[in-house]
Amino acid sequence: MNLVTGASGLLGSEILRLSPSSVGLTSKDCDLTESNHAILTLEDGRVDTVIHCAARVGGVKANTDNVADFFDDNVKMNMNVLDACREKKLKLVSVLSTCIYPDAQYVRYPLTENQLHLGPPHYSNFGYAYAKRMLEVQGKAYRQQFGCNFISVIPNNLYGPNDNYDLDNGHVIPALIRKFHEAIVSESKEVVIWGTGKPMREFTFARDAAEIIIWLAKNYDGAEPVNIGNPEQVSIESLALIISGEMRYKGTIRFDNSKPDGQFKKPSSNNFLRSLGWNGEYTPIREGLRETISSFTDRYPNVRGVSK
């Protein structure tokens, strides 16, 4: 049986939906930055694998404004989870992010797992990125010294129905969906988006990532991290046009060039994942966006990041 940290979040909730026998752990159950008590007190034999999705996450603005907090909270959380898994002799699947990869001048594209430590990450989210990179390092250290079965997976940008729609702390897709929806409701004739719209991004439907993680938890015990994201790229401008079209927004989209773009591109390779035997397919972005938008509009304002 699996224990899923961050169970109320975008990825954790999808894992629980696909694996209903799993146990979910949320911030309401335990503050993992302070304690690993909830894992240590599990009845022996009840859980054999921990899927560690819990993290403090956010978009470009949140990462820039709170760089130390993002580093501190994620390092504390990861230390507590890994230590508890070591003590309880549990398998651990640590969820990282492609933002941990080195900035463009240090790597060859597409990003492969063997390039992870070739240089520093992009400056726009270095606190979060280094905390997540150290999670991979710590997992290997525990594997070497204590013989722990700790593996790491690296998704790219995730999105889906249970996303966080907070405009300061959410990522680009939920932020755009909320902006267009509220512009439609308020009859605003313009939506302003940070940056130039030119950066390229990869997006993976959270349900696809959840399926892959569950598969790897059962089928992979290796030391090397595994890229699991959909390698198809789309520009932020194209993404905004797709979302506005799906939502039937009739106003103008303006890109604010005075705001940062973040990293221009970070295409990744999933060849290693394929070599391990995973032969599934990714949800096309229009299909995933359509389901995500429908879920948002049906539940608004009772969605994460909007309802209080």
Side-chain angles (χ1 to χ4, degrees):
M1 183 185 296
N2 300 324
L3 171 72
V4 182
T5 70
S8 62
L10 171 62
L11 179 59
S13 61
E14 287 289 353
I15 294 173
L16 286 181
R17 193 184 69 81
L18 294 174
S19 179
S21 63
S22 297
V23 178
L25 186 65
T26 73
S27 57
K28 292 181 180 179
D29 303 315
C30 175
D31 181 356
L32 289 172
T33 66
E34 299 289 340
S35 171
N36 56 17
H37 179 74
I39 301 175
L40 287 176
T41 55
L42 284 170
E43 180 182 348
D44 287 344
R46 183 183 178 197
V47 166
D48 52 42
T49 302
V50 172
I51 301 176
H52 180 33
C53 301
R56 179 170 181 175
V57 300
V60 174
K61 184 179 188 302
N63 271 282
T64 301
D65 293 347
N66 305 289
V67 60
D69 292 339
F70 273 73
F71 181 82
D72 289 350
D73 287 349
N74 283 295
V75 165
K76 290 173 184 175
M77 205 179 304
N78 298 339
M79 291 280 291
N80 284 326
V81 170
L82 268 70
D83 192 56
C85 290
R86 175 190 61 80
E87 187 166 334
K88 296 288 287 185
K89 295 180 171 57
L90 302 174
K91 182 174 183 176
L92 175 67
V93 182
S94 294
V95 180
L96 313 180
S97 165
T98 50
C99 75
I100 70 176
Y101 275 105
D103 202 3
Q105 65 264 37
Y106 303 104
V107 294
R108 302 178 311 278
Y109 289 134
L111 296 168
T112 51
E113 294 85 351
N114 61 353
Q115 300 184 78
L116 182 55
H117 298 287
L118 296 184
H122 193 265
Y123 68 89
S124 63
N125 60 359
F126 77 91
Y128 174 81
Y130 268 123
K132 282 292 192 179
R133 194 186 289 187
M134 289 305 99
L135 176 55
E136 190 267 345
V137 172
Q138 189 180 3
K140 281 186 174 176
Y142 276 50
R143 174 184 284 270
Q144 179 175 315
Q145 183 170 343
F146 304 116
C148 298
N149 187 7
F150 291 177
I151 71 171
S152 298
V153 301
I154 309 178
N156 45 35
N157 298 284
L158 301 180
Y159 71 100
N162 193 34
D163 218 327
N164 180 4
Y165 294 89
D166 185 286
L167 293 179
D168 289 330
N169 295 305
H171 288 99
V172 60
I173 285 180
L176 289 175
I177 290 172
R178 179 176 175 180
K179 282 188 173 187
F180 285 120
H181 177 76
E182 292 181 348
I184 292 168
V185 171
S186 65
E187 298 184 348
S188 173
K189 295 182 179 180
E190 181 181 75
V191 168
V192 179
I193 299 173
W194 271 35
T196 65
K198 303 306 179 187
M200 305 294 293
R201 292 289 182 268
E202 300 170 331
F203 296 97
T204 302
F205 198 44
R207 191 172 306 142
D208 299 341
E211 290 177 351
I212 295 169
I213 288 169
I214 292 169
W215 185 86
L216 286 170
K218 295 177 180 177
N219 295 285
Y220 182 64
D221 295 318
E224 298 308 312
V226 185
N227 288 339
I228 65 170
N230 183 345
E232 181 181 345
Q233 295 188 85
V234 61
S235 73
I236 300 301
E237 182 178 18
S238 296
L239 180 70
L241 291 172
I242 293 171
I243 293 173
S244 65
E246 291 290 337
M247 301 186 76
R248 299 179 182 177
Y249 175 67
K250 303 302 183 183
T252 300
I253 300 172
R254 178 169 65 86
F255 290 92
D256 183 354
N257 297 347
S258 70
K259 301 298 184 183
D261 272 330
Q263 197 166 354
F264 181 73
K265 66 177 180 178
K266 43 184 177 180
S268 61
S269 167
N270 67 355
N271 287 345
F272 182 41
L273 171 66
R274 294 292 190 186
S275 75
L276 296 173
W278 184 76
N279 57 7
E281 298 296 330
Y282 295 101
T283 302
I285 188 145
R286 284 185 180 273
E287 181 181 329
L289 284 173
R290 197 168 293 129
E291 180 176 338
T292 303
I293 291 166
S294 176
S295 173
F296 173 85
T297 54
D298 287 347
R299 296 183 295 131
Y300 182 89
N302 298 311
V303 294
R304 292 176 61 218
V306 178
S307 60
K308 303 298 182 182

